[in-house]
Amino acid sequence: MADPQISQITQTQTSIPDYAKPYVENLLGQAQSYTDPSQNPYQQYMGERQAQFSPLQQMSYDNAALMQTAPQLGDATAMAGSAGLGALNTGYTYNPFQTKSFTSPGMAESYMSPYMKNVVERQQADARRQGDIAGQIQDAQAARSGAFGGSGNMLMRSQARNNLARQQGDIYAQGQQAAYTQGMGQFNQEQGATQAAANLNAQQGQFGAGLGLQGLQTALTGANALGNLGNTQYQQNMGINQQQNQYGLQQQQQSQNILNNQYQDFLNFQNSPYKQMGFMSDILRGLPLTQQSATMYQTPPSMMSQVAGLGLAGAGAYKAFGASGGATQDLERRPAGLADLTLYQMGQD
């Protein structure tokens, strides 16, 4: 049975093999130099990182800035406006022919021959002369027979006068009828000619108006064609600009890829030493470390010895970490730098 008055102390020490210590110290020295701003200052990337617009892109932007409405649209607008105004101002107006009546007051007299009265009066005068001759013959016969101035003679003279009056009336009526018939014929002839002329004028006016409207329609058709051509030209220009911009974007992306690769190469170059250090650190971490264990037995110290031990421990700590001399047998020497500190820590692990 173990004596309760005796305590057991076990100390384990891990150390780096001697053949690996130079590599660890070199690695830590490099790490110290890489993390020291005075030895390894920050290096700014001086190359371009953003690709500029390609020439095709810039050309598309310039063309888009200079784009205006197609000139054909202005011509088309002017033609369409002129055609519309021309259609509104078409001078054709249909005026139907106004027929006249021959029986209207004064119409017949205006067409009857003015010589009808002279003809009638001459015919009536001839009839009177013939009547006078017939009366003289009748009187001569009555005188030879001794009946001149008698009732029979007077009756025959009265009958002769009546016949003369009726004959003169017939002459006047026949003259009037002939003049009326001739006047009506002339009236109808003139009315027919006037109607034909009016119809011809109407046809000519309608034909002229039709030609004018056809010309205006042709102008509208031309205006529409010019408008379509202008729109086609605009769409073609837009298509060219879009195509230039699309191809220019591909060029810009290619330039951007080159800049990205250059920047990544710069980063890879800057990180290359750190990657190498990491690779070396991974190798060193896989090395087998030497461990040594020692067991010591001692009786529990008295109160006086504990106090003395605390004093000795303080002195030993001062010698290990405060003084420049060596350490005790169970403690490592004080670390002097980053490499020694790492070795010390790896030994304590």
Side-chain angles (χ1 to χ4, degrees):
M1 184 175 181
D3 189 352
Q5 300 298 322
I6 300 175
S7 62
Q8 179 180 347
I9 300 175
T10 303
Q11 292 182 347
T12 302
Q13 182 179 6
T14 303
S15 62
I16 299 174
D18 293 337
Y19 68 88
K21 288 182 179 181
Y23 300 101
V24 174
E25 293 177 352
N26 183 40
L27 178 64
L28 295 177
Q30 292 179 0
Q32 183 179 12
S33 64
Y34 288 148
T35 55
D36 186 358
S38 62
Q39 300 183 30
N40 186 26
Y42 173 76
Q43 295 186 11
Q44 183 179 359
Y45 182 68
M46 304 305 295
E48 293 186 4
R49 295 189 58 186
Q50 182 67 39
Q52 302 299 319
F53 291 137
S54 66
L56 281 178
Q57 282 181 302
Q58 192 61 49
M59 184 183 301
S60 67
Y61 298 147
D62 294 339
N63 292 337
L66 296 176
M67 283 189 64
Q68 296 179 354
T69 57
Q72 295 91 334
L73 296 180
D75 297 337
T77 302
M79 290 181 63
S82 298
L85 293 176
L88 293 176
N89 296 327
T90 300
Y92 173 73
T93 302
Y94 175 67
N95 293 320
F97 176 73
Q98 301 294 331
T99 60
K100 298 179 182 180
S101 176
F102 188 71
T103 59
S104 298
M107 184 64 68
E109 288 80 1
S110 63
Y111 280 88
M112 292 174 63
S113 175
Y115 302 103
M116 182 273 298
K117 183 179 180 181
N118 296 335
V119 174
V120 171
E121 289 177 353
R122 184 172 182 177
Q123 289 178 351
Q124 288 178 345
D126 290 341
R128 283 195 301 271
R129 188 173 56 254
Q130 294 295 331
D132 292 341
I133 293 175
Q136 291 177 2
I137 293 173
Q138 179 66 34
D139 290 341
Q141 290 178 353
R144 283 195 300 267
S145 62
F148 181 77
S151 59
N153 185 25
M154 296 298 294
L155 180 61
M156 292 181 66
R157 294 286 292 178
S158 175
Q159 183 67 34
R161 285 195 296 271
N162 291 335
N163 291 337
L164 177 59
R166 185 170 53 256
Q167 184 180 3
Q168 288 180 339
D170 292 339
I171 291 173
Y172 179 79
Q174 291 175 359
Q176 285 286 100
Q177 181 64 38
Y180 184 87
T181 301
Q182 292 178 357
M184 179 179 291
Q186 182 179 357
F187 172 81
N188 292 336
Q189 184 178 1
E190 289 182 0
Q191 286 292 101
T194 305
Q195 180 69 54
N199 293 339
L200 180 60
N201 290 334
Q203 292 176 0
Q204 290 177 347
Q206 186 176 4
F207 180 75
L211 288 179
L213 291 176
Q214 290 179 3
L216 296 177
Q217 184 61 43
T218 302
L220 287 176
T221 303
N224 291 332
L226 285 176
N228 293 333
L229 289 175
N231 186 55
T232 300
Q233 179 178 350
Y234 175 80
Q235 295 298 332
Q236 288 179 349
N237 290 336
M238 284 295 298
I240 293 174
N241 289 343
Q242 292 175 356
Q243 198 72 15
Q244 289 177 342
N245 188 273
Q246 181 179 357
Y247 289 149
L249 181 61
Q250 295 178 4
Q251 293 178 344
Q252 184 188 32
Q253 185 60 49
Q254 180 65 21
S255 299
Q256 185 63 51
N257 293 338
I258 296 175
L259 294 179
N260 292 341
N261 292 334
Q262 293 175 351
Y263 181 67
Q264 187 61 45
D265 292 341
F266 171 79
L267 295 179
N268 293 338
F269 177 77
Q270 295 295 320
N271 293 328
S272 178
Y274 301 98
K275 290 183 178 180
Q276 294 175 356
M277 289 175 55
F279 177 74
M280 189 66 177
S281 176
D282 292 339
I283 293 178
L284 295 176
R285 288 178 182 274
L287 294 177
L289 302 179
T290 303
Q291 294 183 354
Q292 295 179 356
S293 299
T295 303
M296 296 181 299
Y297 299 91
Q298 62 182 8
T299 60
S302 63
M303 181 62 66
M304 184 61 68
S305 62
Q306 290 181 3
V307 173
L310 290 175
L312 292 176
Y318 172 77
K319 291 180 178 181
F321 300 101
S324 60
T328 61
Q329 181 178 1
D330 295 336
L331 298 177
E332 294 288 342
R333 62 183 179 87
R334 177 179 177 272
L338 180 60
D340 294 340
L341 176 61
T342 304
L343 292 173
Y344 176 78
Q345 292 294 336
M346 294 178 67
Q348 293 299 321
D349 294 338

